Each structure stands twice: as structure tokens, then as C-alpha cells.
Amino acid sequence: MKKTLVLAALALAGSLAQAQSFPNKPILWVVPYTGGGITDNVTRMVTQKMQASLGQTIVVENKPGANSIIGADLVAKAPPDGYSIVTVIAAHAANATLYQGKLPFDAVKSFVPFSLPAIAPLIMTVNNNFPAKDAKELIAYAKANPNKLNYASSGNGSLQHVSTELLNQMAGIQITHVPYKGTGPAMTDLLGGNVDMTITTPPPLMGHIAAGKLRPLVVTSKSRLESLKDVPSAPEAGYPDLDVSSWFAMYAPAGTPKPVIDKLTTEIEKIMKTDAFRKKAEELGAEAKYMNPQQLDQYQKAELQRWGKVIKSANIHAE
């Protein structure tokens, strides 16, 4: 018994010492998507400030591929010492069901979710040739013209995909999925009138909306977006359960010492509570919304369950 207590005390002392000296070398922060997107931007907003407060370099590395699986796997298999971090979004929760039994890691057990600094609602948007002026008209049109409408996404199992399938299930309609290899080509065809609509994050849409090239119908959040005050929220449109956000969560490998996690969490909380961070998040169409490790763990589990149900009900399969 005494030996066990001594070993536990030594482990705790070692863990505390590790946290006190952390970080003493550069941190690798993986973004499992291409550069320039909202996940990349939010990550860099956090890490640029953290470098100064921690006094150590943070290297942000974009590792896109396989709907974020490649980048997440890199961190899942890294040493659990706080020097390898990944930013995941809702696709991570969808992947647990979409690739069930095929993932090279466990979506929950392989990671420690430690901080969520921001979320971004999606915008239901149609091309200018589409007759509907609001969500009710779109749904009425879809019911009157079954299987004639289509929507663009950045790929099978993407947040755009599962979110629109959620709309299909809630409204009792069937809008046909047209997957693309990324948001860029999806936007090109939406602007060209080759597809009718999309539901996606604000950054790729805002410039086109401002220029009058695309028409926003609904913001998928409980309240209106500050940068799109004229666009109704999901509850205002009559679909309060269409509360869908792209969330940006920070994960470390499972087994990372709690004092190290606490240090990272504390630094992120300080950053996201500043006016500068809130303003930058707003410019991206996001909202500074802090979650600590316990809150994020519960949120993650709820998202896993939610998207699992949608994927199974819509019979969505991985490409």
C-alpha cells in the first residue's frame, strides 16, 4: 500500500514538474484541412497569441485528407505530452459513425478534448435563379417538386452534407446531394446555377452575398448573425432544431497529463475572452464561445449521438 502511494506521489510530482516546464520546445498544431479556411483561421487566431504567452513557437501544419482523418490520426498516435494538438470540427463527430469500424483511432478514447474557443453557424443559401425567397418557400417548393432540388457539399459526410440531410428529415422533403471535392468547386457550381443551394459556413459565402450573387435564407443558430442581421435564425424560420454549428475544438492525445491540459486550457480561455479575439471571430462569421474540458466532453458526446442518428437514418456511407 505504501509503495503504491509513493509511486502515485512520484507520478503526480513528475506530472506537475512537466507542466511547470511546459512548453520547452515547439508545439505542433495540426489542422486537418487546407489552409485559409475557417478552421485554419480560428486555429491561427489562437496559436499566434499563445506563442507570446507561452514563450514558445507553435507550428501550425495543414494535413488535409479523408474528411480530417489523416490529420487527426497523426495526433492520436503522437506522444501524449502536450506537444501535438489537433483542431477538429463537427466532421470528427460524424466520422465516428460514417467510418465505424474503419477509423485508425477511436474518435473519443484516442483524444483528450480540452478547449473550444469558437463556433460558427451555417447559412442556408440559394443561387439567384432559385424562386424561393425564404426557408418556408424553399420547403414548399421542395414538397411540390419532389427530387427536383439539389444541394452542393464539400464531400460525402461533410457538415454541409449531414446538415442538409437533417433538414430533409425535419421538413419531410428530399433535396438531392451533389458532393464535390472541396468547397471551392461547390461554390463555383452554386454561383453558376448548376446546383440550387448549399448549407455551409459563412466565409466562402459572405463576399458573394454582399455582392448580391447569392441569396441567404436562414442562419442555422438560435439567434441572428451579427454580420447578417436581415437573415432570420432557425427558430424564426420555424425550425428551432436546425441549430447546427461548425465547432472548432482542440484535442490532445489521450494520456496527456492533466496539468499540461490545464495550462493549455487556461491560455486559450484568456485569449478568447479578449475583445480582439471576439471581433476577429465575428469577422469570420463565428462566435467566441468558450467550453472547458468537461463542457466540451459532454458537447462532443451529444454531437456524436446527433450526427450518428442523422447518418444512419439517411443511410449515408463513406466514399
Side-chain angles (χ1 to χ4, degrees), residues 7 11 13 51 53 60-61 65 80 109 120 171 197 211 225 241 247 255 266 276 279 298-299 315:
L7 289 173
Q51 287 187 129
S53 59
V60 177
E61 190 168 330
K109 295 178 181 178
M197 64 167 286
L225 199 60
D241 291 335
W247 39 270
T266 299
K279 185 177 179 181
Q298 293 303 310
Y299 183 72
N315 198 26

Side-chain angles (χ1 to χ4, degrees), residues 231-296:
V231 181
S233 64
E236 290 173 321
Y239 290 91
D241 291 335
L242 193 65
D243 182 10
V244 179
S245 292
S246 181
W247 39 270
F248 313 100
M250 317 310 195
Y251 286 17
T256 301
K258 186 177 183 300
V260 172
I261 291 295
D262 289 344
K263 192 166 190 177
L264 289 166
T265 302
T266 299
E267 292 303 324
I268 292 174
E269 184 178 9
K270 288 178 186 175
I271 292 164
M272 61 78 51
K273 286 185 174 179
T274 63
D275 289 339
F277 183 88
R278 291 175 182 275
K279 185 177 179 181
K280 285 186 178 180
E282 188 179 300
E283 289 171 358
L284 289 172
E287 176 189 358
K289 186 179 178 69
Y290 178 73
M291 289 187 194
N292 62 32
Q294 293 74 31
Q295 292 167 329
L296 178 53

Side-chain angles (χ1 to χ4, degrees), residues 138-276:
L138 181 143
I139 290 165
Y141 187 94
K143 287 180 176 179
N145 300 275
N147 298 309
K148 288 189 177 181
L149 294 185
N150 56 35
Y151 70 94
S153 85
S154 61
N156 207 47
S158 63
L159 185 58
Q160 297 103 309
H161 183 191
V162 296
S163 297
T164 313
E165 290 303 324
L166 175 62
L167 174 67
N168 277 338
Q169 293 169 21
M170 289 170 49
I173 57 177
Q174 187 55 56
I175 308 175
T176 303
H177 182 215
V178 182
Y180 290 82
K181 291 185 177 180
T183 301
M187 291 301 301
T188 298
D189 269 11
L190 180 64
L191 287 162
N194 297 318
V195 287
D196 299 307
M197 64 167 286
T198 192
I199 300 178
T200 192
T201 52
L205 298 171
M206 298 299 277
H208 300 303
I209 290 171
K213 295 179 180 179
L214 294 174
R215 187 186 312 127
L217 304 184
V218 176
V219 175
T220 63
S221 58
K222 288 184 172 64
S223 57
R224 297 192 179 200
L225 199 60
E226 189 66 27
S227 51
L228 286 174
K229 291 183 178 180
D230 294 334
V231 181
S233 64
E236 290 173 321
Y239 290 91
D241 291 335
L242 193 65
D243 182 10
V244 179
S245 292
S246 181
W247 39 270
F248 313 100
M250 317 310 195
Y251 286 17
T256 301
K258 186 177 183 300
V260 172
I261 291 295
D262 289 344
K263 192 166 190 177
L264 289 166
T265 302
T266 299
E267 292 303 324
I268 292 174
E269 184 178 9
K270 288 178 186 175
I271 292 164
M272 61 78 51
K273 286 185 174 179
T274 63
D275 289 339

Side-chain angles (χ1 to χ4, degrees), residues 36-108:
I38 190 168
T39 311
D40 185 61
N41 283 328
V42 169
T43 300
R44 292 176 189 275
M45 283 163 55
V46 170
T47 56
Q48 285 170 3
K49 295 295 183 181
M50 283 184 75
Q51 287 187 129
S53 59
L54 292 175
Q56 190 56 258
T57 301
I58 300 178
V59 179
V60 177
E61 190 168 330
N62 297 94
K63 288 283 184 181
N67 205 25
S68 81
I69 293 171
I70 291 174
D73 187 45
L74 180 68
V75 173
K77 292 179 169 57
D81 53 13
Y83 291 97
S84 296
I85 307 295
V86 63
T87 302
V88 302
I89 63 171
H92 180 82
N95 285 345
T97 299
L98 193 64
Y99 296 91
Q100 193 167 26
K102 299 177 182 179
L103 285 175
F105 53 81
D106 187 294
V108 176

